[in-house]
Amino acid sequence: LARVLQAKGALDEAEQQVRLSLDVALKALPADHVGTLTTQLLLGRVLLDRRKPADAEPLLRHVLEARTRTLAAGAWQIGEVKLALGRTLLALGRRDDAEPLLQESMDSLKNGGKAQDPLKREAALALAQFNRSRRPATTPSTTTTAAALLTPP
């Protein structure tokens, strides 16, 4: 239900639903169980969508640490978390920390099947947006100023 609400943009309700699900999961399962980790990842993504990246970061770091410890290197599930954490760090203005995570997410997600195609597209888009934002913008005023400095009087 939380994913449906998130997709519809009902982010307040999505957060409430995923928090309820997480409470149930934590009572019934270990903190590093695949179901608990998946729910924590979803909460982190909802918090990011709600523009609460500072709240999302510790959840996503926990999920990344647990998945890295329990899954094979390069597993697409690790790439899924790296993508979410990379986007979170970008939202926090920590571009240098975000870049390797975004690139690694692309590499890991290549190991997923067709079901991971939406994540692959999201990772490609996030990395492309990151790369575009790295390029210095050329504005007419800076171009004019530079040209004026190079033109002899």
Side-chain angles (χ1 to χ4, degrees), residues 7 26-27 31 38 48-49 51 53 71-72 77 81 92 101-102 105 107 110-111 126 133-134 153:
L26 288 171
K27 289 177 185 169
T38 300
L48 178 59
D49 287 350
R51 293 182 167 79
L71 297 173
Q77 296 92 335
V81 184
L92 291 168
L101 289 169
L102 293 174
S105 75
D107 297 340
K110 289 177 186 172
N111 296 324
S133 69
R134 258 193 342 195

Side-chain angles (χ1 to χ4, degrees), residues 50-97:
R50 291 200 65 209
R51 293 182 167 79
K52 296 181 177 181
D55 294 340
E57 183 184 5
L59 277 169
L60 296 172
R61 287 202 180 274
H62 168 74
V63 175
L64 179 59
E65 183 278 323
R67 283 190 174 178
T68 301
R69 186 171 24 84
T70 59
L71 297 173
W76 70 264
Q77 296 92 335
I78 295 171
E80 176 183 32
V81 184
K82 286 182 177 184
L83 171 59
L85 183 56
R87 290 182 57 229
T88 298
L89 295 174
L90 277 178
L92 291 168
R94 293 168 40 204
R95 296 175 52 79
D96 290 342
D97 296 330

Side-chain angles (χ1 to χ4, degrees), residues 41 45 76-77 79-81 83-84 105-106 109 114-125:
L41 173 59
R45 291 177 66 98
W76 70 264
Q77 296 92 335
E80 176 183 32
V81 184
L83 171 59
S105 75
M106 285 286 298
L109 287 168
K114 194 156 185 69
Q116 282 70 49
D117 283 355
L119 284 172
K120 293 173 191 174
R121 284 190 295 275
E122 182 183 343
L125 179 62

Side-chain angles (χ1 to χ4, degrees), residues 15-39:
E15 182 180 350
Q16 290 172 352
Q17 287 299 316
V18 75
R19 285 188 184 279
L20 288 172
S21 296
L22 183 57
D23 287 344
V24 170
L26 288 171
K27 289 177 185 169
L29 302 167
D32 288 351
H33 184 276
V34 65
T36 307
L37 294 172
T38 300
T39 305

